[in-house]
Amino acid sequence: MIEAIRGSREGKTVGVFSKDKFPGEYMKSWNDTITAEGLEKVDISAVVAYTMAVKEDGELGLMKKAAAITSEVYSKFFKERVMEIVDADEKVRHSKLAESVEKAIEEKKYLGGADPSTVEMCYPPIIQSGGNYSLKFSVVSDKNHMHFGAITCAMGIRYKSYCSNLVRTLMVDPSQEMQDNYNFLLQVEEELLKELKHGVKICEAYNAVLDYVKKEKPELVARLTKNLGFAMGIEFREGSLVLNAKNQYKLKKGMVLSISLGFSDLLNKDGKKEDQKYALFIGDTVQINEEEAATILTPVKKKIKNVGIFLKNDDEEDEEEDGDDAEELLGKGARSAALLADRTRNEMTAEEKRRAHQKELANHLNEEAKRRLTEQKGEQQIQKARKSNVSYKNISQMPREKDIRDMKIFIDKKYETVVMPVFGIPTPFHIATIKNISMSVEGDYTYLRINFYVPGSSLGRQEGNIFPNPDATFVKEITYRASNLKAPGDTSVPSTNLQNAFRIIKEVQKRYKTREAEEKEKEGIVKQDSLVINLNRSNPKLKDLYIRPNIAQKRMQGSLEAHTNGFRFTSVRGDKVDILYNNIKHAIFQPCDGEMIIVLHFHLKNAIMFGKRRHTDVQFYTEVGEITTDLGKHQHMHDRDDLYAEQMEREMRHKLKSAFKNFIEKVETLTKEELEFEVPFRDLGFQGAPYRSTCLLQPTSSSLVNVTEWPPFVVTLDEVELVHFERVQFHLKNFDVVIVYKDYNKKVTMINAVPVNSLDPIKEWLNSCDIKYTEGVQSLNWTKIMKTIVDDPEGFFEQGGWSFLDPESEGSGGEEDSESEMEDETFNPSADEEEEEEEDSDEDYSSETEDSDYSASLGSEEESGKDWDELEEEARKADRESHYEDEDTSNRKRKVRSAAPPSKKKRRS
């Protein structure tokens, strides 16, 4: 070996790892030989570490898994445990809490499906609070009790020998200054992530962050940690790749760093004695990219709303201080009794508090609505003029076909026009003017009847008046007749022209209506930005998903991938649907707990087009287990196959839930939490029927949703003006919920058949969301109410506004009186009422006669049948012919029939 060393290069130096000391006789003799030969020892630790710092794809996968496990343990165990401790006011030592974290990694439920034997801690968890802080990873959790101020936690988990690291600070009732300092620390981390790119010197990145702190908050420069992290791999801390002001090494793509930065020795003037001194410490495991900012591999949320634990307001603080004094005087038993009594008092006054809050909301609601409508006054709605369908702009465009000269019906497909002979003149009618056509064969003739749109005919709810000159003379219908008999010398039967015209008009009409429907769908579509494709293979991606609504008639699987500014769904057929982040109003994740599908639902700000239709709601889902059950199976309930299938389904649910959660966390990290997924609160859910079927409606932080049934139901709470409960009566099991929007032109939303036992929970939820609610026993005509408000908003609010819905308001008292008077009238029948009944019955009778007259006078609409007199005459003739006519009987019948109407008239007079 010495000869080989002599023969390489100049043979004067040997590379060694100076910090590593290896015991044993062999190593001692080897070191003695090198010294005897006069070879110079050179430390190559830093160079080898720099070379090994760039990780291969397999290594990156292991480190990402390690980071995910660390995030799971922190979120599901440590954070929850701290919340329990704070909530129960427990006294727990830092060291005991650290030990419980170490034990937690032995439980599979916290490891995201990893084998516990492959997981271990990089170092014992470091938990600090109560003014004693050391922002290093070489310290140990002390035996002091945890104080409810700033609680720092650092933990690193190793998976299959590869390390990860995570640092967070939880704050209990932080002061505004603490919150400001913490938000600034988050900004400093953002700056650091922007600087950590391929080819950047470590010292330059450090200095850039230092300059940022000097510029924004120079008083915190001295408080900043001396280094901002280090490279990580199998070694937890590479000493040669520390992020400080002296390191000249350049960062390379594929390196994984543990960044950790904080402010120490900060003062909280408002805190207690042990909490006056505090520190803020955050850190993540990050991966270096080519040109983009470093990617965070530990996507645990760290905004103030995620790490702040807010317990009480000023009033509650006073109550708690009194409680503390009582504890000192009377002991723990007396304190628990006082708390129980306090809780009972609160429960008794909960309804009163709710009513007081609702009264405040009612006053604010009317003022806000009046102000909003005043601002909107003067803004006139611009109605889009309907395009006029003109067949030919000038006579030169009129076709010169033989059928037109021969006075036959001709259909011009190019201009979508039917040319018909009218009084011997070829007259063009655009296909849009034709309402419907019908063809019938009677004897030797074929009839073609064409009905046109005219003023007064039904055009549909939203059509309005499409006639530019409604006072003109209109043709309502035209009927053509042609013979079915072939005349001598004719090449074809005359009725062939009508048959062809009928078929072609139907085709052109169908094509025109389809095109119009597509154009109508496209109306109001806001043009979206183009999707910026991220070619990085590590994009968050979910496979084997279905999309609703379907792209084609048959549902198809595909994959959903997150890119720079939006999602792209690609079906197996190659269809693409793009959803941009800035167009998403609500992103909802519906887990598979108690459901047969797991869903990602996007409620959009502006509709998008796919499948030739516009859609505001798009969702991606996958089925969990069997949606249908084979009832033909007669198997034992403890059958081994069934138990195995249930176990497999449980595992599948857990696996899918983990995959979807991982995808969501990556997307939120990618968008820097600008896009946040909401998870419905199942505990607050209630049954209701917003459409035809009953479903479970669940609140989220900003909406009320049901996304498992189709069509989906999504109501944005910020758009809700008030909620009214209808049919709230003791003897009814259900009631209805009416949601009125701040935009009074928008149709109200009705939720029917809500169980009455859900009333109080719904009230409590609405009250907590600062939404005004009212209730009543009647069902109201909301179309008429909203029209009245929109027509005269000033008058509506002068008369008390929405207070007419509130049973406790003055305005509704009079209304209730009038209602009771109406009820009294209803239950005390009088002679006047009998007369009214007679009038009603006469009106019914007259309307029946009018209807019969109308049906008899249809004329051209449909063939009318024979009336009773004609049928009677025919019967008499038949009787005379058979000599069996009974004159007395027939006369009696005629007398009865002719006498019936006069008796009716007599009653009317």
Side-chain angles (χ1 to χ4, degrees):
M1 286 181 72
I2 296 295
E3 288 175 7
I5 293 169
R6 292 283 186 197
S8 69
R9 304 280 176 139
E10 296 176 1
K12 293 179 181 178
T13 55
V14 176
V16 295
F17 298 101
S18 59
K19 288 187 179 179
D20 294 334
K21 306 294 181 185
F22 301 101
E25 286 297 322
Y26 176 77
M27 288 305 300
K28 188 174 181 298
S29 61
W30 170 251
N31 289 328
D32 292 342
T33 305
I34 289 174
T35 306
E37 290 292 331
L39 295 171
E40 184 186 348
K41 292 181 182 178
V42 177
D43 186 12
I44 59 169
S45 303
V47 179
V48 173
Y50 185 63
T51 308
M52 299 287 285
V54 178
K55 302 293 182 282
E56 296 174 356
D57 289 344
E59 293 178 301
L60 285 173
L62 292 171
M63 296 194 79
K64 286 177 182 176
K65 181 66 175 174
I69 293 169
T70 307
S71 304
E72 287 279 302
V73 173
Y74 170 82
S75 302
K76 291 185 178 178
F77 179 79
F78 177 77
K79 189 178 175 184
E80 292 296 322
R81 181 71 186 111
V82 171
M83 297 276 276
E84 287 173 12
I85 292 167
V86 173
D87 197 37
D89 200 11
E90 291 181 47
K91 288 192 174 182
V92 178
R93 297 182 190 277
H94 296 142
S95 54
K96 286 290 182 186
L97 188 54
E99 284 173 20
S100 67
V101 175
E102 288 192 74
K103 286 179 182 175
I105 66 169
E106 296 171 9
E107 297 183 42
K108 202 169 183 178
K109 64 180 178 180
Y110 299 123
L111 304 182
D115 183 1
S117 63
T118 60
V119 178
E120 59 181 332
M121 300 300 296
C122 297
Y123 57 91
I126 304 165
I127 299 161
Q128 303 173 88
S129 68
N132 299 319
Y133 300 94
S134 177
L135 307 187
K136 296 177 182 177
F137 297 103
S138 55
V139 297
V140 181
S141 299
D142 58 31
K143 293 186 178 181
N144 294 331
H145 288 107
M146 189 172 78
H147 286 282
F148 301 160
I151 306 160
T152 66
C153 169
M155 64 172 72
I157 289 178
R158 194 190 299 268
Y159 175 68
K160 292 186 178 178
S161 302
Y162 283 87
C163 300
S164 64
N165 199 27
L166 175 70
V167 185
R168 289 290 182 268
T169 301
L170 295 173
M171 293 174 285
V172 182
D173 276 335
S175 64
Q176 190 57 47
E177 187 184 1
M178 285 177 75
Q179 293 182 45
D180 294 342
N181 288 336
Y182 182 81
N183 287 327
F184 179 65
L185 184 59
L186 293 181
Q187 292 171 16
V188 174
E189 190 189 28
E190 283 292 321
E191 285 299 313
L192 177 59
L193 291 171
K194 288 176 188 174
E195 295 296 329
L196 297 178
K197 294 178 185 175
H198 177 78
V200 175
K201 282 186 178 181
I202 289 175
C203 59
E204 290 176 1
Y206 179 88
N207 290 327
V209 171
L210 203 63
D211 292 342
Y212 177 77
V213 177
K214 284 178 182 175
K215 181 184 172 185
E216 298 294 329
K217 287 198 174 185
E219 70 276 10
L220 293 178
V221 173
R223 312 288 186 200
L224 188 67
T225 46
K226 300 304 175 190
N227 65 64
L228 304 179
F230 43 80
M232 195 165 53
I234 293 177
E235 282 283 331
F236 175 67
R237 183 178 186 274
E238 291 291 355
S240 59
L241 291 172
V242 177
L243 274 65
N244 57 28
K246 297 176 182 177
N247 202 323
Q248 295 295 317
Y249 280 112
K250 287 185 177 180
L251 296 168
K252 287 189 176 181
K253 182 186 175 185
M255 283 184 174
V256 176
L257 308 178
S258 168
I259 60 167
S260 52
L261 56 165
F263 298 127
S264 57
D265 298 330
L266 297 170
L267 292 176
N268 178 19
K269 296 170 186 175
D270 303 330
K272 295 176 185 176
K273 188 178 180 182
E274 61 272 13
D275 292 330
Q276 280 189 346
K277 196 175 179 184
Y278 72 96
L280 301 172
F281 199 23
I282 58 171
D284 287 287
T285 304
V286 302
Q287 179 186 335
I288 304 299
N289 298 318
E290 185 81 44
E291 294 179 357
E292 299 170 1
T295 305
I296 295 177
L297 303 181
T298 45
V300 178
K301 294 178 182 178
K302 50 183 178 283
K303 285 186 177 178
I304 194 74
K305 64 180 180 181
N306 305 119
V307 299
I309 303 169
F310 298 91
L311 293 178
K312 50 195 175 294
N313 54 32
D314 295 337
D315 296 334
E316 288 171 336
E317 277 179 14
D318 296 338
E319 288 173 15
E320 190 171 323
E321 282 172 14
D322 296 339
D324 290 341
D325 296 338
E327 184 184 354
E328 289 172 13
L329 293 168
L330 303 171
K332 201 166 185 178
R335 187 186 180 198
S336 62
L339 283 171
L340 187 64
D342 183 49
R343 189 187 299 170
T344 312
R345 268 201 313 278
N346 287 340
E347 283 175 1
M348 287 167 65
T349 59
E351 178 63 26
E352 293 171 15
K353 283 183 180 177
R354 208 161 61 193
R355 282 180 183 172
H357 187 218
Q358 284 295 311
K359 201 169 183 181
E360 290 173 17
L361 288 175
N363 297 332
H364 177 70
L365 171 71
N366 282 331
E367 290 169 11
E368 183 65 24
K370 194 173 181 180
R371 183 191 60 76
R372 193 173 62 247
L373 287 170
T374 307
E375 288 175 2
Q376 289 175 356
K377 192 181 177 184
E379 294 179 9
Q380 293 181 351
Q381 291 185 344
I382 300 166
Q383 291 187 345
K384 192 176 178 183
R386 187 185 174 93
K387 64 177 182 180
S388 179
N389 293 305
V390 178
S391 296
Y392 305 112
K393 292 182 180 177
N394 53 60
I395 199 165
S396 62
Q397 294 177 335
M398 187 94 165
R400 305 278 188 267
E401 298 292 328
K402 185 176 182 298
D403 283 356
I404 296 175
R405 291 196 299 273
D406 293 345
M407 291 295 131
K408 292 181 180 179
I409 297 174
F410 175 75
I411 294 90
D412 187 354
K413 291 184 180 179
K414 182 182 176 183
Y415 290 99
E416 296 177 330
T417 296
V418 183
V419 181
M420 308 176 200
V422 179
F423 299 119
I425 301 168
T427 309
F429 291 87
H430 194 274
I431 199 76
T433 62
I434 296 174
K435 185 178 182 182
N436 54 47
I437 59 171
S438 62
M439 190 175 69
S440 61
V441 179
E442 296 178 13
D444 295 337
Y445 293 98
T446 296
Y447 293 87
L448 179 68
R449 179 175 163 194
I450 302 171
N451 291 323
F452 297 94
Y453 285 113
V454 294
S457 64
S458 60
L459 293 166
R461 195 175 295 170
Q462 303 296 330
E463 291 293 328
N465 189 9
I466 64 167
F467 304 102
N469 186 9
D471 296 330
T473 303
F474 288 84
V475 178
K476 186 176 182 183
E477 65 176 73
I478 295 179
T479 304
Y480 290 95
R481 187 183 76 168
S483 175
N484 294 333
L485 303 174
K486 187 176 177 183
D490 287 351
T491 55
S492 61
V493 178
S495 62
T496 307
N497 175 248
L498 297 187
Q499 292 167 2
N500 290 338
F502 177 76
R503 177 176 54 79
I504 298 168
I505 288 171
K506 284 280 187 188
E507 287 175 10
V508 175
Q509 202 172 30
K510 184 180 178 183
R511 193 168 65 232
Y512 172 78
K513 285 180 177 177
T514 305
R515 194 180 71 248
E516 283 287 297
E518 286 179 10
E519 286 179 6
K520 195 173 181 182
E521 287 290 326
K522 288 178 184 175
E523 275 180 18
I525 291 286
V526 178
K527 191 178 178 184
Q528 304 292 317
D529 299 331
S530 299
L531 183 71
V532 179
I533 302 295
N534 188 354
L535 300 174
N536 192 350
R537 287 186 178 180
S538 62
N539 288 340
K541 191 173 185 178
L542 280 176
K543 295 180 180 177
D544 301 328
L545 299 178
Y546 295 106
I547 184 172
R548 280 201 297 202
N550 296 332
I551 299 173
Q553 289 183 348
K554 190 178 179 182
R555 67 175 190 167
M556 284 182 292
Q557 282 190 328
S559 59
L560 181 68
E561 190 170 3
H563 291 281
T564 307
N565 66 334
F567 297 101
R568 169 164 283 182
F569 175 79
T570 310
S571 72
V572 289
R573 199 176 69 176
D575 303 290
K576 291 182 174 63
V577 177
D578 295 342
I579 300 171
L580 301 184
Y581 300 140
N582 60 10
N583 191 32
I584 295 173
K585 196 174 194 178
H586 298 289
I588 298 155
F589 168 52
Q590 174 69 63
C592 50
D593 302 329
E595 303 287 353
M596 296 307 292
I597 58 174
I598 184 167
V599 181
L600 287 181
H601 185 94
F602 299 110
H603 183 67
L604 308 179
K605 296 174 186 172
N606 301 305
I608 60 171
M609 286 284 295
F610 65 86
K612 295 184 179 179
R613 302 201 62 152
R614 57 191 293 171
H615 305 286
T616 315
D617 289 280
V618 184
Q619 67 176 224
F620 306 95
Y621 71 98
T622 188
E623 293 171 356
V624 184
E626 295 180 4
I627 289 182
T628 56
T629 306
D630 185 2
L631 297 176
K633 289 182 181 177
H634 297 287
Q635 294 179 345
H636 196 266
M637 64 179 290
H638 296 299
D639 187 60
R640 191 172 293 174
D641 290 342
D642 282 358
L643 293 172
Y644 178 72
E646 285 179 18
Q647 177 65 24
M648 290 295 289
E649 186 175 323
R650 275 196 294 270
E651 288 180 9
M652 171 67 80
R653 283 174 180 271
H654 180 72
K655 190 176 175 183
L656 283 171
K657 206 169 171 184
S658 301
F660 272 71
K661 278 189 173 178
N662 191 27
F663 175 80
I664 288 166
E665 286 171 358
K666 286 180 179 176
V667 170
E668 287 180 343
T669 306
L670 180 69
T671 59
K672 295 179 181 173
E673 297 187 16
E674 287 178 11
L675 177 67
E676 285 194 29
F677 283 82
E678 304 171 42
V679 180
F681 304 117
R682 195 175 182 84
D683 295 342
L684 297 176
F686 58 91
Q687 296 290 333
Y691 303 114
R692 292 183 179 179
S693 60
T694 302
C695 57
L696 181 65
L697 300 165
Q698 302 174 76
T700 71
S701 54
S702 63
S703 59
L704 177 66
V705 302
N706 171 266
V707 295
T708 50
E709 303 282 335
W710 196 262
F713 178 81
V714 182
V715 170
T716 306
L717 298 182
D718 287 343
E719 296 176 0
V720 175
E721 181 84 309
L722 68 92
V723 175
H724 181 66
F725 305 122
E726 293 185 338
R727 300 191 305 112
V728 180
Q729 299 181 49
F730 290 113
H731 64 279
L732 294 179
K733 291 182 180 179
N734 299 320
F735 65 96
D736 302 332
V737 177
V738 181
I739 299 171
V740 181
Y741 296 97
K742 290 177 180 174
D743 180 2
Y744 290 166
N745 293 306
K746 192 174 178 181
K747 190 179 177 184
V748 300
T749 298
M750 296 277 294
I751 303 171
N752 300 314
V754 181
V756 77
N757 57 4
S758 300
L759 183 60
D760 275 346
I762 294 172
K763 284 181 177 179
E764 191 61 44
W765 165 62
L766 290 172
N767 194 55
S768 67
C769 297
D770 291 338
I771 294 174
K772 169 69 180 165
Y773 63 79
T774 55
E775 63 180 78
V777 296
Q778 292 181 326
S779 295
L780 303 175
N781 186 344
W782 285 97
T783 309
K784 196 174 276 186
I785 290 170
M786 299 313 293
K787 189 176 184 304
T788 306
I789 297 169
V790 171
D791 290 346
D792 184 17
E794 290 89 353
F796 173 70
F797 286 107
E798 281 172 10
Q799 292 172 7
W802 290 109
S803 59
F804 80 95
L805 291 172
D806 203 335
E808 294 178 3
S809 67
E810 293 174 5
S812 64
E815 195 174 316
E816 280 182 1
D817 293 340
S818 63
E819 283 174 14
S820 61
E821 284 170 17
M822 286 169 66
E823 286 174 5
D824 293 341
E825 288 174 9
T826 307
F827 289 108
N828 293 311
S830 62
D832 296 338
E833 196 166 299
E834 286 174 8
E835 286 177 14
E836 283 176 10
E837 283 181 10
E838 287 178 7
E839 286 176 12
D840 290 343
S841 61
D842 290 345
E843 284 172 9
D844 291 342
Y845 173 75
S846 62
S847 64
E848 284 174 14
T849 54
E850 283 169 12
D851 289 345
S852 62
D853 292 341
Y854 174 73
S855 62
S857 65
L858 279 174
S860 62
E861 288 293 324
E862 57 186 64
E863 187 178 342
S864 58
K866 296 177 181 179
D867 62 14
W868 285 108
D869 292 335
E870 289 175 355
L871 292 171
E872 205 170 15
E873 189 63 31
E874 285 181 6
R876 271 203 304 273
K877 285 178 183 177
D879 286 342
R880 283 196 201 103
E881 287 171 5
S882 59
H883 303 288
Y884 287 117
E885 185 180 14
D886 187 349
E887 290 183 8
D888 293 335
T889 308
S890 62
N891 288 336
R892 199 180 304 122
K893 284 182 181 177
R894 279 198 297 277
K895 282 176 184 176
V896 170
R897 190 173 287 108
S898 60
S903 67
K904 197 81 170 178
K905 287 177 186 174
K906 196 174 185 180
R907 186 183 173 190
R908 184 161 36 196
S909 60

